[in-house]
Amino acid sequence: MTQVKYYIRLTNLVKLLLAMVDEGRIAFSPAVELSYLTPNEQAELWDLIRQEDATPSLSQAIRIKQLSKLAKLTPEVQFAILTEEKPNQREQV
């Protein structure tokens, strides 16, 4: 039942982000978190994803959602979160 709720929740994504989920470019769990953003915040995020060729991890998506709830999510904050180095991107020596 919970999984069905998550699929329904994805209908709150703007079409451009939903297409990225369908293409497998954004993972399911982060997409559910991003579905709580306003349409304007989602549009800004989509622009950043396209420009930076980076998608949010689950932990980044959760932080973005929390900041949105607090009305503290700006394009600059989204950029800072999205461009953080993720643990799986660190260069191994």
Side-chain angles (χ1 to χ4, degrees):
M1 184 65 163
T2 302
Q3 194 76 5
V4 173
K5 285 185 201 178
Y6 291 149
Y7 278 104
I8 293 169
R9 183 75 219 164
L10 289 182
T11 63
N12 292 297
L13 282 175
V14 295
K15 291 181 188 219
L16 295 168
L17 287 178
L18 186 56
M20 293 183 83
V21 175
D22 290 341
E23 295 164 2
R25 293 187 57 209
I26 296 179
F28 182 79
S29 294
V32 171
E33 298 299 323
L34 298 175
S35 72
Y36 288 90
L37 303 180
T38 68
N40 284 342
E41 291 169 338
Q42 290 182 41
E44 291 167 355
L45 182 63
W46 182 82
D47 280 339
L48 281 171
I49 288 171
R50 193 173 46 88
Q51 290 169 12
E52 300 300 321
D53 194 28
T55 57
S57 66
L58 178 56
S59 65
Q60 289 171 323
I62 290 169
R63 287 196 347 252
I64 289 169
K65 174 186 165 187
Q66 290 169 337
L67 289 167
S68 174
K69 278 184 171 182
L70 297 171
K72 294 184 178 183
L73 187 63
T74 64
E76 295 79 18
V77 170
Q78 285 191 24
F79 176 81
I81 293 172
L82 192 65
T83 57
E84 291 171 343
E85 184 177 304
K86 297 173 189 158
N88 64 347
Q89 293 175 327
R90 288 197 188 112
E91 203 173 298
Q92 301 294 321
V93 180

